[in-house]
Short mmCIF file of all heavy atoms in Angstrom, two decimals:
data_model
loop_
_atom_site.label_atom_id
_atom_site.label_comp_id
_atom_site.label_asym_id
_atom_site.label_seq_id
_atom_site.Cartn_x
_atom_site.Cartn_y
_atom_site.Cartn_z
N ARG X 71 0.64 -66.49 44.07
CA ARG X 71 0.91 -66.02 45.42
C ARG X 71 -0.18 -66.52 46.37
O ARG X 71 -1.33 -66.69 45.98
CB ARG X 71 0.98 -64.49 45.49
CG ARG X 71 2.24 -63.92 44.85
CD ARG X 71 2.29 -62.41 45.01
NE ARG X 71 3.50 -61.85 44.44
CZ ARG X 71 4.64 -61.72 45.09
NH1 ARG X 71 4.71 -62.12 46.35
NH2 ARG X 71 5.70 -61.19 44.52
N SER X 72 0.22 -66.75 47.61
CA SER X 72 -0.72 -67.11 48.65
C SER X 72 -0.22 -66.46 49.94
O SER X 72 0.80 -65.78 49.94
CB SER X 72 -0.80 -68.63 48.79
OG SER X 72 -1.76 -68.99 49.76
N LYS X 73 -0.95 -66.68 51.03
CA LYS X 73 -0.56 -66.08 52.30
C LYS X 73 -0.72 -67.08 53.43
O LYS X 73 -1.61 -67.93 53.40
CB LYS X 73 -1.38 -64.82 52.60
CG LYS X 73 -0.97 -63.62 51.76
CD LYS X 73 -1.65 -62.35 52.24
CE LYS X 73 -1.17 -61.15 51.45
NZ LYS X 73 -1.79 -59.89 51.93
N ILE X 74 0.17 -66.96 54.41
CA ILE X 74 0.11 -67.79 55.61
C ILE X 74 -0.54 -66.96 56.71
O ILE X 74 -0.04 -65.89 57.06
CB ILE X 74 1.51 -68.24 56.05
CG1 ILE X 74 2.20 -69.02 54.93
CG2 ILE X 74 1.44 -69.08 57.31
CD1 ILE X 74 3.67 -69.30 55.20
N ASN X 75 -1.65 -67.45 57.23
CA ASN X 75 -2.36 -66.73 58.27
C ASN X 75 -2.17 -67.33 59.66
O ASN X 75 -2.43 -66.66 60.66
CB ASN X 75 -3.86 -66.69 57.95
CG ASN X 75 -4.14 -65.90 56.69
OD1 ASN X 75 -3.87 -64.72 56.61
ND2 ASN X 75 -4.70 -66.57 55.69
N CYS X 76 -1.72 -68.59 59.73
CA CYS X 76 -1.57 -69.23 61.04
C CYS X 76 -0.57 -70.38 60.94
O CYS X 76 -0.18 -70.80 59.85
CB CYS X 76 -2.92 -69.73 61.56
SG CYS X 76 -3.73 -70.92 60.46
N SER X 77 -0.18 -70.88 62.10
CA SER X 77 0.72 -72.03 62.18
C SER X 77 0.25 -72.93 63.32
O SER X 77 -0.56 -72.51 64.16
CB SER X 77 2.16 -71.57 62.40
OG SER X 77 2.28 -70.91 63.65
N VAL X 78 0.78 -74.16 63.35
CA VAL X 78 0.41 -75.11 64.39
C VAL X 78 1.65 -75.83 64.89
O VAL X 78 2.65 -75.96 64.17
CB VAL X 78 -0.62 -76.15 63.86
CG1 VAL X 78 -1.93 -75.49 63.49
CG2 VAL X 78 -0.05 -76.92 62.68
N MET X 79 1.58 -76.29 66.13
CA MET X 79 2.60 -77.17 66.70
C MET X 79 2.01 -78.57 66.78
O MET X 79 0.86 -78.74 67.17
CB MET X 79 3.02 -76.69 68.08
CG MET X 79 3.94 -75.48 68.07
SD MET X 79 5.60 -75.86 67.45
CE MET X 79 6.20 -76.97 68.71
N ALA X 80 2.81 -79.57 66.38
CA ALA X 80 2.32 -80.95 66.40
C ALA X 80 3.47 -81.89 66.69
O ALA X 80 4.64 -81.56 66.47
CB ALA X 80 1.66 -81.30 65.07
N GLU X 81 3.12 -83.08 67.18
CA GLU X 81 4.12 -84.11 67.41
C GLU X 81 4.40 -84.82 66.09
O GLU X 81 3.49 -85.40 65.48
CB GLU X 81 3.63 -85.11 68.45
CG GLU X 81 4.65 -86.20 68.76
CD GLU X 81 4.12 -87.23 69.74
OE1 GLU X 81 3.06 -86.95 70.36
OE2 GLU X 81 4.74 -88.29 69.88
N PHE X 82 5.63 -84.76 65.65
CA PHE X 82 6.03 -85.31 64.35
C PHE X 82 6.84 -86.59 64.57
O PHE X 82 7.74 -86.63 65.41
CB PHE X 82 6.86 -84.29 63.58
CG PHE X 82 7.41 -84.81 62.29
CD1 PHE X 82 6.65 -84.78 61.13
CD2 PHE X 82 8.70 -85.33 62.23
CE1 PHE X 82 7.16 -85.27 59.94
CE2 PHE X 82 9.22 -85.81 61.04
CZ PHE X 82 8.45 -85.78 59.89
N SER X 83 6.50 -87.61 63.78
CA SER X 83 7.22 -88.88 63.88
C SER X 83 7.52 -89.41 62.48
O SER X 83 6.63 -89.43 61.61
CB SER X 83 6.40 -89.93 64.65
OG SER X 83 6.11 -89.47 65.95
N TYR X 84 8.77 -89.83 62.29
CA TYR X 84 9.17 -90.51 61.06
C TYR X 84 10.36 -91.40 61.40
O TYR X 84 11.38 -90.91 61.90
CB TYR X 84 9.55 -89.53 59.96
CG TYR X 84 10.13 -90.20 58.74
CD1 TYR X 84 9.34 -91.02 57.94
CD2 TYR X 84 11.48 -90.05 58.42
CE1 TYR X 84 9.87 -91.66 56.83
CE2 TYR X 84 12.02 -90.68 57.31
CZ TYR X 84 11.21 -91.49 56.52
OH TYR X 84 11.75 -92.14 55.43
N GLN X 85 10.21 -92.69 61.15
CA GLN X 85 11.22 -93.67 61.54
C GLN X 85 11.53 -93.49 63.04
O GLN X 85 10.65 -93.65 63.87
CB GLN X 85 12.47 -93.53 60.66
CG GLN X 85 12.22 -93.90 59.20
CD GLN X 85 13.48 -93.85 58.36
OE1 GLN X 85 14.57 -93.49 58.83
NE2 GLN X 85 13.35 -94.21 57.09
N ASP X 86 12.77 -93.15 63.38
CA ASP X 86 13.13 -92.98 64.79
C ASP X 86 13.07 -91.52 65.25
O ASP X 86 13.47 -91.20 66.37
CB ASP X 86 14.54 -93.52 65.04
CG ASP X 86 14.60 -95.03 64.85
OD1 ASP X 86 13.57 -95.69 65.08
OD2 ASP X 86 15.67 -95.55 64.44
N ILE X 87 12.58 -90.63 64.38
CA ILE X 87 12.47 -89.21 64.76
C ILE X 87 11.19 -89.01 65.56
O ILE X 87 10.10 -89.41 65.14
CB ILE X 87 12.45 -88.30 63.51
CG1 ILE X 87 13.76 -88.42 62.74
CG2 ILE X 87 12.19 -86.85 63.90
CD1 ILE X 87 13.79 -87.62 61.45
N ARG X 88 11.31 -88.39 66.72
CA ARG X 88 10.16 -88.03 67.56
C ARG X 88 10.42 -86.62 68.08
O ARG X 88 11.34 -86.40 68.87
CB ARG X 88 10.01 -88.99 68.75
CG ARG X 88 9.84 -90.45 68.39
CD ARG X 88 8.45 -90.74 67.83
NE ARG X 88 8.25 -92.17 67.66
CZ ARG X 88 8.66 -92.86 66.61
NH1 ARG X 88 9.32 -92.24 65.64
NH2 ARG X 88 8.43 -94.16 66.52
N CYS X 89 9.63 -85.66 67.64
CA CYS X 89 9.87 -84.28 68.08
C CYS X 89 8.62 -83.45 67.88
O CYS X 89 7.71 -83.82 67.13
CB CYS X 89 11.05 -83.66 67.33
SG CYS X 89 10.77 -83.46 65.56
N GLN X 90 8.57 -82.33 68.58
CA GLN X 90 7.54 -81.33 68.36
C GLN X 90 8.00 -80.41 67.24
O GLN X 90 9.13 -79.92 67.25
CB GLN X 90 7.30 -80.51 69.64
CG GLN X 90 6.61 -81.29 70.75
CD GLN X 90 5.14 -81.53 70.44
OE1 GLN X 90 4.46 -80.68 69.85
NE2 GLN X 90 4.64 -82.70 70.83
N ARG X 91 7.11 -80.17 66.27
CA ARG X 91 7.51 -79.38 65.11
C ARG X 91 6.40 -78.40 64.75
O ARG X 91 5.21 -78.70 64.87
CB ARG X 91 7.81 -80.29 63.93
CG ARG X 91 8.46 -79.58 62.77
CD ARG X 91 9.21 -80.51 61.85
NE ARG X 91 10.13 -79.74 61.02
CZ ARG X 91 11.35 -79.43 61.38
NH1 ARG X 91 11.83 -79.85 62.54
NH2 ARG X 91 12.12 -78.70 60.60
N ARG X 92 6.82 -77.21 64.31
CA ARG X 92 5.86 -76.19 63.90
C ARG X 92 5.70 -76.21 62.39
O ARG X 92 6.67 -76.31 61.64
CB ARG X 92 6.32 -74.80 64.36
CG ARG X 92 5.34 -73.68 63.96
CD ARG X 92 5.67 -72.38 64.66
NE ARG X 92 5.43 -72.48 66.09
CZ ARG X 92 4.24 -72.34 66.66
NH1 ARG X 92 3.16 -72.12 65.91
NH2 ARG X 92 4.11 -72.43 67.96
N PHE X 93 4.44 -76.11 61.96
CA PHE X 93 4.11 -76.10 60.54
C PHE X 93 3.28 -74.85 60.22
O PHE X 93 2.40 -74.47 61.00
CB PHE X 93 3.30 -77.34 60.15
CG PHE X 93 4.03 -78.64 60.32
CD1 PHE X 93 4.00 -79.33 61.53
CD2 PHE X 93 4.75 -79.18 59.27
CE1 PHE X 93 4.67 -80.53 61.69
CE2 PHE X 93 5.43 -80.39 59.42
CZ PHE X 93 5.39 -81.06 60.63
N ASP X 94 3.55 -74.25 59.07
CA ASP X 94 2.70 -73.19 58.56
C ASP X 94 1.50 -73.83 57.86
O ASP X 94 1.64 -74.84 57.15
CB ASP X 94 3.46 -72.30 57.57
CG ASP X 94 4.56 -71.51 58.25
OD1 ASP X 94 4.35 -71.07 59.40
OD2 ASP X 94 5.64 -71.35 57.65
N VAL X 95 0.33 -73.25 58.06
CA VAL X 95 -0.91 -73.84 57.54
C VAL X 95 -1.27 -73.17 56.22
O VAL X 95 -1.43 -71.95 56.15
CB VAL X 95 -2.06 -73.68 58.55
CG1 VAL X 95 -3.34 -74.29 58.01
CG2 VAL X 95 -1.68 -74.32 59.88
N VAL X 96 -1.40 -73.99 55.16
CA VAL X 96 -1.78 -73.49 53.84
C VAL X 96 -2.68 -74.53 53.17
O VAL X 96 -2.81 -75.67 53.63
CB VAL X 96 -0.55 -73.23 52.94
CG1 VAL X 96 0.27 -72.07 53.45
CG2 VAL X 96 0.30 -74.48 52.81
N ASN X 97 -3.30 -74.13 52.07
CA ASN X 97 -4.10 -75.07 51.27
C ASN X 97 -3.16 -75.89 50.39
O ASN X 97 -2.46 -75.34 49.54
CB ASN X 97 -5.11 -74.30 50.41
CG ASN X 97 -6.19 -73.64 51.24
OD1 ASN X 97 -6.65 -74.21 52.22
ND2 ASN X 97 -6.58 -72.44 50.85
N LEU X 98 -3.15 -77.19 50.59
CA LEU X 98 -2.30 -78.09 49.81
C LEU X 98 -3.15 -79.05 49.00
O LEU X 98 -4.22 -79.48 49.45
CB LEU X 98 -1.36 -78.88 50.73
CG LEU X 98 -0.35 -78.08 51.57
CD1 LEU X 98 0.47 -79.03 52.44
CD2 LEU X 98 0.57 -77.26 50.67
N ASP X 99 -2.65 -79.40 47.83
CA ASP X 99 -3.29 -80.41 47.00
C ASP X 99 -2.43 -81.68 47.01
O ASP X 99 -1.20 -81.61 46.90
CB ASP X 99 -3.44 -79.92 45.55
CG ASP X 99 -4.48 -78.82 45.43
OD1 ASP X 99 -5.41 -78.80 46.26
OD2 ASP X 99 -4.36 -77.98 44.51
N ASN X 100 -3.08 -82.82 47.15
CA ASN X 100 -2.45 -84.15 47.02
C ASN X 100 -1.61 -84.57 48.22
O ASN X 100 -1.33 -85.76 48.37
CB ASN X 100 -1.57 -84.22 45.76
CG ASN X 100 -2.35 -83.93 44.49
OD1 ASN X 100 -3.53 -84.27 44.38
ND2 ASN X 100 -1.70 -83.26 43.54
N TYR X 101 -1.16 -83.63 49.05
CA TYR X 101 -0.30 -83.99 50.17
C TYR X 101 -0.84 -83.39 51.46
O TYR X 101 -1.48 -82.34 51.46
CB TYR X 101 1.14 -83.52 49.94
CG TYR X 101 1.74 -84.03 48.64
CD1 TYR X 101 1.85 -83.19 47.54
CD2 TYR X 101 2.17 -85.34 48.53
CE1 TYR X 101 2.38 -83.65 46.35
CE2 TYR X 101 2.70 -85.82 47.33
CZ TYR X 101 2.80 -84.97 46.25
OH TYR X 101 3.31 -85.44 45.08
N ASP X 102 -0.54 -84.09 52.57
CA ASP X 102 -0.91 -83.57 53.89
C ASP X 102 0.16 -82.65 54.46
O ASP X 102 -0.13 -81.70 55.17
CB ASP X 102 -1.15 -84.74 54.87
CG ASP X 102 -2.22 -85.69 54.38
OD1 ASP X 102 -3.27 -85.21 53.93
OD2 ASP X 102 -1.99 -86.91 54.44
N ILE X 103 1.41 -82.98 54.14
CA ILE X 103 2.56 -82.27 54.70
C ILE X 103 3.56 -81.98 53.57
O ILE X 103 3.72 -82.79 52.66
CB ILE X 103 3.27 -83.11 55.79
CG1 ILE X 103 2.30 -83.43 56.93
CG2 ILE X 103 4.50 -82.39 56.32
CD1 ILE X 103 1.95 -82.26 57.81
#
Side-chain angles (χ1 to χ4, degrees):
R71 289 183 178 272
S72 183
K73 286 189 176 182
I74 302 171
N75 295 298
C76 58
S77 64
V78 295
M79 284 290 294
E81 181 183 347
F82 175 85
S83 301
Y84 173 68
Q85 294 184 357
D86 294 330
I87 297 177
R88 302 287 188 277
C89 64
Q90 289 288 324
R91 190 158 197 87
R92 180 168 293 278
F93 296 89
D94 293 322
V95 180
V96 293
N97 291 322
L98 298 179
D99 290 332
N100 302 325
Y101 304 103
D102 302 315
I103 300 288

